[in-house]
Amino acid sequence: MRTTVLIVAAGSGSRLQAGVPKALVTLGDGNTMLEHCLDSVVAARDAGVVELNAIAVVVPGDPDAAASLEAVCRAFAARSAVPVQTVPGGAERADSVRAGLAAVRGLAGTAGGPFGRHALLVHDAARPFVPPAVFGAVVAALESGTVAVVPGVEVVDTIKSVARAGAEPGADDGAAPEEVTGTLQRTQLRAVQTPQGFDLTSLEAAHRRAEEDAGLTGGAAALTDDAMAMEAAGHRVGVVAGDPLGFKITTQLDLILANALLASTTLEHH
Ligand code: CTP
Ligand code: MG
């Protein structure tokens, strides 16, 4: 099934505090996070699990960062022979995905797969090491007719909901300690990664709906992944096996882990 990949790389990386947008951060081997991410997509193509149509990369609005990431994309397109288009992103991740969807529609062309669908994978640039098997599992679910599928891994911590007495949920008044309002059964929880797979037309409609009615998902900032938009639109979302290597680089600790992995032989076995 011909598949277009939308990589969101427009975030600032405020939690990593690297001084440059996260996708431009260089890992221990000298390659940027975006290069690793692009290479992982091509590794999936070369493994025969993704019939790769094209890649769209959403880049920051800042001209310097955009120019640097566009140069990365041009070099990648030249060496991989994959068409890559860049497009400027927005303030929140959901805004960046929406900006990218417009470009994807142009790249998807008229090629219809099974059920007349075009497969789209939405992927975080901040996940540099996703193994081909995860791409393969997501695409396989789309090929079998699923309209939305996410890779998930078991959760190791116990997750609790919290609130501050008298405060709005999520409000930070700094003083009073939070109080536990509930505990979800850990066996029923999954930490969800990317690439997330969708029928392109269904995701476009779901994002449009979520954008028009912020009450559905709580607005762009609260829409932390794309499956949420599909859930709000009433679609079933499948879960396939993710991989610990699909972790997202968010903080300095994650960067240390990423560089330790690059220095070890762990990645070679994938
Ligand atoms: N992203 C994006 N546009 C935004 C925000 C995020 O394209 N306005 C992308 C990031 O580039 C990243 C992915 O969404 O690849 C996941 O987001 P996150 O890990 O939160 O990255 P940042 O938003 O850059 O980091 P932070 O939240 O720490 O600022
Ligand atoms: Mg963010």
Side-chain angles (χ1 to χ4, degrees):
M1 180 171 196
R2 279 177 79 72
T3 302
T4 302
V5 180
L6 172 56
I7 297 176
V8 282
S12 61
S14 56
R15 287 169 289 181
L16 191 60
Q17 294 184 304
V20 291
K22 202 154 67 176
L24 267 180
V25 170
T26 302
L27 301 186
D29 65 350
N31 293 322
T32 60
M33 236 181 267
L34 179 62
E35 283 170 303
H36 276 280
C37 181
L38 289 165
D39 285 346
S40 72
V41 175
V42 161
R45 178 198 67 178
D46 292 347
V49 295
V50 178
E51 192 193 329
L52 187 58
N53 172 52
I55 301 177
V57 179
V58 186
V59 299
D62 168 67
D64 289 345
S68 302
L69 288 170
E70 279 159 15
V72 166
C73 291
R74 270 197 305 277
F76 168 81
R79 83 178 119 92
S80 66
V82 178
V84 182
Q85 187 179 331
T86 56
V87 47
E92 302 293 343
R93 185 186 181 283
D95 300 318
S96 294
V97 171
R98 287 163 186 164
L101 282 173
V104 166
R105 180 44 79 179
L107 291 169
T110 51
F115 313 99
R117 290 175 180 166
H118 189 94
L120 173 68
L121 304 185
V122 185
H123 192 28
D124 294 332
R127 301 182 191 269
F129 304 133
V130 175
V134 175
F135 284 94
V138 170
V139 169
L142 293 176
E143 280 171 346
S144 72
T146 307
V147 294
V149 57
V150 299
V153 293
E154 289 181 1
V155 172
V156 293
D157 293 310
T158 298
I159 310 286
K160 295 184 187 293
S161 57
V162 296
R164 283 204 178 86
E168 289 294 313
D172 185 10
D173 66 7
E178 293 174 331
E179 200 173 297
V180 170
T181 56
T183 303
L184 295 157
Q185 268 301 319
R186 194 170 63 190
T187 52
Q188 294 176 5
L189 297 175
R190 296 292 177 268
V192 162
Q193 307 175 326
T194 71
Q196 299 192 347
F198 305 99
D199 162 51
L200 172 59
T201 306
S202 304
L203 186 68
E204 285 170 335
H207 262 295
R208 229 176 0 251
R209 199 158 172 261
E211 196 173 14
E212 282 161 9
D213 185 356
L216 279 179
T217 56
L223 197 68
T224 51
D225 78 349
D226 301 289
M228 278 179 76
M230 295 293 276
E231 293 158 46
H235 292 289
R236 287 188 174 195
V237 178
V239 183
V240 294
D243 190 292
L245 287 175
F247 73 100
K248 181 162 68 76
I249 297 180
T250 307
T251 65
Q252 281 293 333
L253 198 59
D254 303 318
L255 200 54
I256 290 167
L257 173 60
N259 287 331
L261 283 166
L262 283 172
S264 78
T265 55
T266 312
L267 293 171
E268 288 165 16
H269 299 303
H270 277 78

